[in-house]
Amino acid sequence: MQSSVKRELLDILGPQGFRDDPETLVTHSYDGTPMLQSLPEAVVYPENTQQVSDVMKVLHRHRIPLVSRGSGTNLCGGTVPLQGGVVMVMHRMNKILEVDLENLTATVQPGLITKTFTEHIESLGLFYPPDPSSMAISTIGGNIAECSGGLRGLKYGTTKDYVIGLEAVLANGDIIRTGGKLMKDVAGYDLTKLLVGSEGTLAIITEATLKLVPPPKAKKTMVAMYNDLYDAARTVSQIIENRIIPATLEIMDRSTIRVVDEFAGLGLPHDMEAMLLIEQDGEPETVERDIARIEEICRAERADRVNVAQSQEEALKLLTARRSAFTALARLRPTTILEDATVPRSKIADMVVEINRIARKYNVTICTFGHAGDGNLHPTATTDARDHEEIKRVEAAFEEIFEAAIRLGGTITGEHGVGVVKAPFLEWKIGPAGIAAMKAIKDSFDPHHLLNPGKVFAKSSRKRVVIDRG
């Protein structure tokens, strides 16, 4: 980085807000995505919106790219600084600015840890439903950038359903505000929803107004074990078809059950092919009725055993174990590649069959778990980046899994984002006209492509895979 630019940034941020030592650069050269790394030129730590704006004015003038990030739990390479430049870490902007009990909203800064926020809100007798598995370390700003989902997405929706207002800094340093503490607002384009899930390519989020809701009065959690993975997947469709929308409806295959049990010490049976983890919440009578009906459906779909958690502690232990699935699988081999192909709920059983077929075809190990209730599966390959031939087979398998998801009416990503990993496949989902429309939006917000460059849009699309079914 030019010494003159460095001096300008130091004048804005002070010595505590600027780092370019080798250790810091390496630390911020990667995120949670395996096999991706690129060194930035500097790392900055703003403390307020004005500093963000001032930094962007300097970078805009010198045409220096910037990647904003929180904890770096991203799984699509979304916060890797592919073109060098500056990484902006938002952790110093981590305050809860306001909880408005009259309007049931909270206004927060982007560096706030998700779990810290949800625990504070729950201590006030309120509820913020989005609960990504990484919530103990991920930030609200990162959740907004990726439109994170979570275990409760089936019933309560994802991050986009709770972000009602934003403050953001554009590539040229201008500060904009969108939305607010309003349940209705159709004044022009919905820029709030546009920025949610934009992966840091359109603006830098500096403040968010979030919708809160009353907490459910009762909860019950249950586990259903199956000798056949397809039976478990079919049960998911049957529960929804019976007009029951659980708060949580998760699936784990045999390999995942085993490693999660060894990790969490739950005493789960290792001989079962699949497990459904189901939670219902709401009014006590409704919860009791729904859990009883779900148990009937599970048994009708050949569940080997069904157990209802007998205490809140037991229920919490089960849910915590499911959140640890990725961590547990990562212990098996040096490299773990977690994806999130998503299909309509009615196609969940078909997608599970396809994932297993594709894994056998390419002779790779793929464990499957995920948010079965909303069709969001996480096929996870355990492999070794040093085995280049196996990595090629893993990549080919995932390419075919994405094709299968689209063929079944689904998408290439339900919550992880496009980033750089999924960029070659985006055109499969939205077509050339969709790509052109998105690029036009990017050009209007960031004409010099300074914000998170190299993400979302691939240099060239992958040729669509066509599977011969014989």
Side-chain angles (χ1 to χ4, degrees):
M1 174 172 287
Q2 296 178 14
S3 58
S4 59
V5 176
K6 180 176 178 177
R7 283 195 300 271
E8 287 188 78
L9 295 177
L10 281 167
D11 286 343
I12 295 167
L13 300 161
Q16 76 283 355
F18 179 95
R19 298 283 295 273
D20 61 357
D21 57 280
E23 292 83 359
T24 300
L25 299 185
V26 170
T27 301
H28 295 88
S29 66
Y30 60 91
D31 58 18
T33 315
M35 302 181 296
L36 276 177
Q37 188 172 20
S38 181
L39 284 172
E41 297 175 60
V43 180
V44 298
Y45 307 84
E47 294 182 343
N48 54 59
T49 301
Q50 190 57 55
Q51 285 188 348
V52 175
S53 174
D54 292 343
V55 167
M56 281 316 306
K57 288 175 182 176
V58 172
L59 300 184
H60 184 263
R61 189 167 67 251
H62 293 278
R63 302 291 189 263
I64 297 172
L66 176 129
V67 175
S68 57
R69 65 176 275 165
S71 298
T73 57
N74 184 275
L75 292 169
C76 65
T79 52
V80 177
L82 295 178
Q83 297 183 19
V86 174
V87 169
M88 180 178 284
V89 181
M90 309 305 289
H91 276 169
R92 289 184 177 174
M93 297 177 64
N94 61 4
K95 296 181 179 62
I96 299 174
L97 300 174
E98 178 192 49
V99 177
D100 186 337
L101 298 179
E102 291 184 327
N103 289 301
L104 291 187
T105 66
T107 303
V108 305
Q109 293 181 311
L112 180 65
I113 299 297
T114 310
K115 189 173 183 180
T116 300
F117 173 64
T118 59
E119 288 178 344
H120 178 72
I121 293 305
E122 288 171 5
S123 74
L124 300 175
L126 293 169
F127 187 35
Y128 178 72
D131 62 335
S133 295
S134 60
M135 64 188 298
I137 51 174
S138 65
T139 63
I140 293 292
N143 296 169
I144 293 171
E146 298 298 335
C147 190
S148 298
L151 276 65
R152 293 192 284 248
L154 168 61
K155 183 172 184 177
Y156 288 101
T158 61
T159 299
K160 70 177 184 296
D161 300 302
Y162 296 88
V163 180
I164 57 177
L166 291 171
E167 177 188 78
V169 175
L170 301 179
N172 64 1
D174 287 349
I175 301 170
I176 63 170
R177 284 189 170 273
T178 73
K181 299 178 184 180
L182 304 166
M183 294 301 105
K184 292 182 178 180
D185 183 2
V186 293
Y189 298 142
D190 192 343
L191 296 180
T192 304
K193 289 294 189 288
L194 178 61
L195 293 180
V196 175
S198 63
E199 304 188 31
T201 63
L202 300 181
I204 304 165
I205 305 301
T206 53
E207 189 177 297
T209 300
L210 307 174
K211 178 176 68 174
L212 308 176
V213 296
K217 294 181 180 178
K219 289 182 185 179
K220 276 213 164 180
T221 304
M222 61 181 288
V223 169
M225 309 298 300
Y226 292 81
N227 288 307
D228 188 291
L229 183 60
Y230 191 88
D231 289 343
R234 191 176 57 240
T235 301
V236 173
S237 298
Q238 287 299 310
I239 290 171
I240 304 301
E241 190 174 328
N242 274 265
R243 310 297 191 269
I244 301 172
I245 307 297
T248 297
L249 181 44
E250 300 287 306
I251 193 169
M252 290 194 288
D253 70 2
R254 182 174 185 169
S255 298
T256 312
I257 293 169
R258 177 176 56 81
V259 296
V260 165
D261 185 60
E262 290 171 354
F263 181 78
L266 296 174
L268 298 173
H270 291 193
D271 59 338
M272 293 288 102
E273 291 298 321
M275 180 180 96
L276 291 181
L277 174 62
I278 306 165
E279 182 179 71
Q280 183 59 302
D281 64 13
E283 294 293 328
E285 293 148 0
T286 302
V287 171
E288 292 290 341
R289 183 187 67 236
D290 285 352
I291 287 292
R293 180 63 185 129
I294 291 171
E295 184 172 351
E296 291 175 3
I297 294 168
C298 291
R299 295 191 186 282
E301 295 297 333
R302 302 195 300 179
D304 183 80
R305 64 197 78 171
V306 180
N307 297 313
V308 178
Q310 297 303 304
S311 66
Q312 185 176 351
E313 290 74 21
E314 183 182 352
L316 181 61
K317 195 173 183 180
L318 288 168
L319 291 166
T320 301
R322 161 57 189 88
R323 294 185 200 282
S324 71
F326 176 55
T327 304
L329 287 170
R331 302 166 68 201
L332 295 181
R333 296 191 67 192
T335 307
T336 306
I337 304 175
L338 184 150
E339 286 295 353
D340 71 326
T342 303
V343 295
R345 293 182 295 218
S346 61
K347 299 294 184 180
I348 192 78
D350 296 328
M351 190 64 203
V352 167
V353 169
E354 282 293 274
I355 291 170
N356 289 341
R357 178 189 67 80
I358 292 166
R360 289 193 300 271
K361 175 181 175 180
Y362 289 97
N363 189 28
V364 295
T365 300
I366 297 181
C367 303
T368 300
F369 64 95
H371 318 304
D374 54 23
N376 185 196
L377 291 174
H378 292 311
T380 303
T382 55
T383 181
D384 188 338
R386 296 167 295 185
D387 187 337
H388 300 298
E389 192 277 331
E390 183 177 74
I391 288 295
K392 286 182 180 178
R393 286 187 281 115
V394 169
E395 291 174 343
F398 276 125
E399 187 167 325
E400 203 162 309
I401 286 171
F402 300 150
E403 195 279 339
I406 292 174
R407 178 162 39 80
L408 292 170
T411 184
I412 60 173
T413 176
E415 59 186 2
H416 290 176
V418 176
V420 62
V421 172
K422 303 287 186 68
F425 309 104
L426 181 60
E427 191 172 318
W428 291 7
K429 171 60 180 172
I430 67 174
I435 293 287
M438 286 189 178
K439 283 184 174 179
I441 293 170
K442 169 68 172 174
D443 289 342
S444 68
F445 272 80
D446 181 17
H448 301 294
H449 291 200
L450 301 179
L451 295 177
N452 210 3
K455 310 300 169 54
V456 180
F457 305 112
K459 292 181 180 178
S460 62
S461 176
R462 289 287 183 91
K463 184 179 178 181
R464 180 73 173 268
V465 176
V466 179
I467 299 175
D468 182 3
R469 305 292 288 176

